Amino acid sequence: MEKIVVENSGKLNGRVRVSGAKNSTLPIIAASLLGTEDIILEEVPRLKDVEIICEVLRALGATVEDIDEHTIRINSSNLKTYETKFDLMNKMRASFLVMGPLLGRIGKAKCALPGGCTIGARPIDLHLKGFSALGVEYTEHYGDLESGEDSYILAHTEKLVGDKVYLDFPSVGATENIMMAAVLAKGRTIIENAAMEPEIVDLSNFLRKLGANIKGAGTNTIIIDGVEKLHGARHQIIPDRIEAGTFMVAAAITGGDVVVENVISDHLRPVISKLEEAGCEITEEEDNIHVKGPEELKCINIKTLPYPGFPTDMQAQFMAMMTQCDKTNIVMETVFENRFMHADEFNKMGADIKIKDRSAMVTGVSKLQGTDVRATDLRCGAALILAGLVAEGETHIHDIYHIERGYEDVIKKFSGLGAKIKRVEE
Ligand code: EPU
C-alpha cells in the first residue's frame, strides 16, 4: 500500500495543464457501446476509473485499444453479451452507465446494483424511472450479502419507445443513462428537469457526432428523436473543471501564483466568483485561468447545487481553504446527504469544523498540523493534499487509491508547482 506525504510548501507558483474530464470520459466510453464503427476518443485521462470502464466494455465484447497516451480507439460492432462483469461493476458506481447503451443497442442488460458509497446512499430510482417510461421491464435481484451473492438488475425491452420523463432531481447519471437509451428508441423522448452539467453537453455532442438527434443539452429540457443506427466518430473530451478548480484552490490557499492551462472558464463561474470573494485575483486568458492568492483569505459561504450552481465536487477543496479564511465560513451541501467525511480529517489536523445536518461551520484561521489522515473519497483526498500544503510538518494521506481514480499524475502536477509531495510505501 502506498501513501502520499505532503509538507508545508510555501506559495505554489507556475503553470499546470488540466487533463480531460473524468466525468465526461466515463459516460462517453459507455456510450461507445452504441456505435457500430470505430470511435476515436482524444484527451482521455489516464485514471483508474477510466481503466475500469474500458474493462467493462471489453468484457461485453468491444475492443478498446490505446492509440497514444491520451487517445483510444473503441469498436463495439460485435458485442457478445448483455451481462456485465459484477466484479468490475462493483469497483465503480459509474459502471451502471452501460445500462442505457445496452438497452438501446441490444434491448437487454444485466447490471450489478450499485451500492451506496461514503458520500451518500446514491439510489438509481431516477435511472429506472426513465427506462420504464421508454418501455423497459426490469426485475431487481437482491443477493445474500453474507454469502457474498451479487445484487443485480435484469432488464429487457422488445423495442424502446420514446416518452416524456420528468426527473424529480436533475441527476447527472440518470440524465446520461436515459439519453443514451433514448438515442436508438422509436420516436421522441423528452427529459424534463434534466441535469445541465457541461459533461451532459459533451456527451450530447459526442452522440450527435455518432448520428444521434439530440437538442437542448445544457438546458433543463433535452429532446431526443430516436434514429435507426449510430456509426463511428472522433471526439475530444472537454477539460476537467474539477481538476482545474482544485489547482485554483491550491493557488488560493498557499497565496501562490498559478496559471491553470486547458480550461473552459465558463464551466467554472461559481468557483471563480467564490475565489474572488475570498480575495483572489483571477484573470481569464484564452484557454487558461491565472489565479493569484491573497496574503490573507476572507471568509466566504458556499452552497452546493446542480450546475450552474456551486459544484459539490469542489466542496471539500473549498472547505480546506476555509480553514485558512478569516472567521466564520458556512458550507451547505444540498446534492449529497453525507458529503462531509473530510471535515473529520481536517479536524484531526487542527481545524475547527462543526457539522449540523447538511451544514458545516468552518472557523478560521486554524494553524493546521500534519498528521495521519485518510482519503475517504476522491475529492476528500484532493482536499487533504491542499490542507497538507499549508500545515506544519508532514501530512500522511492514506487510502490514496481514491485520489488516483480522479487525478492524473497528481504528484507530478503538484510538484511542478513547487509542492513538496511524494508517494511512499506504507
Ligand atoms: N439521485 C437519486 N436517484 C437517482 C440518481 C441520483 O436520488 O436515481 C440523487 C443522489 O443520491 C444524489 C443526487 O441525486 O443525492 C445527485 O446524484 P447524481 O445522479 O447527479 O450524481 P451521479 O451521476 O451519481 C455524478 C458525478 C459525481 C458528482 C455528481 C453530482 C460521475 C461519474 N459522477 O454522479 O462525481 O458528484 O454527478 O455532480 O459523473 C466525483 O467526481 O468526485 C463525483 C462524485
Side-chain angles (χ1 to χ4, degrees):
M1 287 273 255
E2 289 185 311
K3 63 181 173 183
I4 288 179
V5 179
V6 190
E7 281 177 62
N8 188 307
S9 304
K11 296 176 191 286
L12 294 200
N13 284 302
R15 305 175 79 88
V16 59
R17 188 179 188 277
V18 166
S19 301
K22 166 180 84 80
N23 290 347
S24 271
T25 306
L26 299 175
I28 286 176
I29 291 179
S32 300
L33 288 169
L34 290 160
T36 49
E37 294 164 14
D38 270 2
I39 289 170
I40 312 279
L41 299 178
E42 297 168 349
E43 292 282 350
V44 174
R46 291 290 157 187
L47 300 170
K48 196 84 213 143
D49 276 9
V50 173
E51 268 173 40
I52 296 172
I53 196 95
C54 289
E55 276 309 309
V56 172
L57 257 69
R58 286 193 187 103
L60 290 166
T63 57
V64 185
E65 323 160 285
D66 292 342
I67 297 183
D68 63 37
E69 202 191 346
H70 292 115
T71 310
I72 61 173
R73 180 191 292 116
I74 302 178
N75 189 299
S76 304
S77 48
N78 289 315
L79 295 184
K80 57 175 197 257
T81 175
Y82 61 92
E83 297 191 23
T84 55
K85 276 190 117 177
F86 288 176
D87 54 334
L88 288 172
M89 299 289 285
N90 287 336
K91 283 189 184 150
M92 179 181 69
R93 282 186 56 82
S95 310
F96 195 68
L97 290 173
V98 298
M99 187 135 198
L102 282 175
L103 288 168
R105 183 76 194 282
I106 315 182
K108 262 182 163 182
K110 184 175 173 187
C111 293
L113 266 169
C117 63
T118 52
I119 63 177
R122 299 179 84 178
I124 47 160
D125 55 316
L126 299 173
H127 301 236
L128 297 174
K129 177 180 174 180
F131 295 148
S132 294
L134 301 186
V136 173
E137 287 179 24
Y138 63 86
T139 43
E140 296 173 53
H141 300 258
Y142 291 94
D144 177 24
L145 271 183
E146 271 178 26
S147 54
E149 278 171 7
D150 291 302
S151 298
Y152 61 92
I153 296 212
L154 189 58
H156 72 96
T157 176
E158 280 306 310
K159 177 73 197 150
L160 290 171
V161 181
D163 204 340
K164 203 180 260 189
V165 183
Y166 173 82
L167 297 181
D168 304 70
F169 183 89
S171 152
V172 173
T175 303
E176 292 167 343
N177 234 340
I178 298 165
M179 255 169 82
M180 293 188 283
V183 286
L184 289 178
K186 184 167 178 289
R188 175 167 281 197
T189 301
I190 303 178
I191 309 177
E192 292 177 334
N193 199 27
M196 302 193 284
E197 270 68 2
E199 293 76 19
I200 303 280
V201 179
D202 204 21
L203 174 62
S204 164
N205 288 340
F206 169 69
L207 289 167
R208 286 161 55 126
K209 286 183 189 167
L210 291 183
N213 187 347
I214 307 176
K215 295 184 205 75
T219 75
N220 61 6
T221 306
I222 302 179
I223 300 171
I224 303 143
D225 286 308
V227 296
E228 282 291 317
K229 199 172 175 211
L230 297 177
H231 40 82
R234 176 180 279 269
H235 182 77
Q236 190 179 82
I237 307 287
I238 57 168
D240 195 309
R241 63 194 165 103
I242 306 301
E243 189 194 2
T246 303
F247 286 114
M248 291 167 73
V249 176
I253 196 171
T254 63
D257 185 342
V258 172
V259 177
V260 187
E261 299 178 341
N262 190 35
V263 180
I264 300 175
S265 306
D266 265 350
H267 295 170
L268 283 151
R269 288 286 151 234
V271 172
I272 292 173
S273 162
K274 285 288 155 185
L275 286 177
E276 283 177 336
E277 230 178 280
C280 296
E281 197 183 308
I282 298 188
T283 320
E284 294 173 32
E285 299 159 358
E286 201 172 335
D287 296 325
N288 304 337
I289 296 186
H290 187 165
V291 185
K292 286 187 194 161
E295 285 305 317
E296 282 173 22
L297 287 159
K298 293 183 219 147
C299 74
I300 54 165
N301 298 327
I302 59 169
K303 179 177 180 180
T304 67
L305 286 168
Y307 191 85
F310 187 92
T312 173
D313 292 342
M314 283 303 300
Q315 187 252 100
Q317 300 88 316
F318 264 68
M319 195 184 274
M321 182 180 86
M322 287 168 168
T323 65
Q324 304 305 301
C325 291
D326 190 28
K327 299 198 187 71
T328 311
N329 304 264
I330 306 285
V331 179
M332 269 191 74
E333 172 59 56
T334 77
V335 178
F336 289 107
E337 72 278 12
N338 189 28
R339 207 174 194 179
F340 281 141
M341 307 283 278
H342 39 276
D344 283 343
E345 305 304 308
F346 297 143
N347 282 342
K348 283 184 200 162
M349 297 174 74
D352 178 359
I353 305 172
K354 293 185 182 69
I355 308 289
K356 189 161 187 281
D357 304 324
R358 286 187 163 206
S359 301
M361 191 169 82
V362 188
T363 309
V365 174
S366 296
K367 214 169 164 27
L368 298 182
Q369 182 65 46
T371 183
D372 284 290
V373 285
R374 203 165 69 81
T376 55
D377 71 88
L378 160 62
R379 307 302 170 189
C380 166
L384 289 170
I385 294 179
L386 298 174
L389 293 173
V390 294
E392 282 309 311
E394 291 187 345
T395 301
H396 292 237
I397 308 173
H398 303 268
D399 292 348
I400 59 169
Y401 57 90
H402 283 298
I403 304 176
E404 282 154 1
R405 294 181 51 188
Y407 288 88
E408 187 178 31
D409 288 337
V410 71
I411 303 288
K412 195 166 145 200
K413 289 191 185 185
F414 270 103
S415 303
L417 297 173
K420 293 180 192 155
I421 179 169
K422 59 188 177 203
R423 187 194 311 263
V424 295
E425 274 300 322
E426 292 260 23

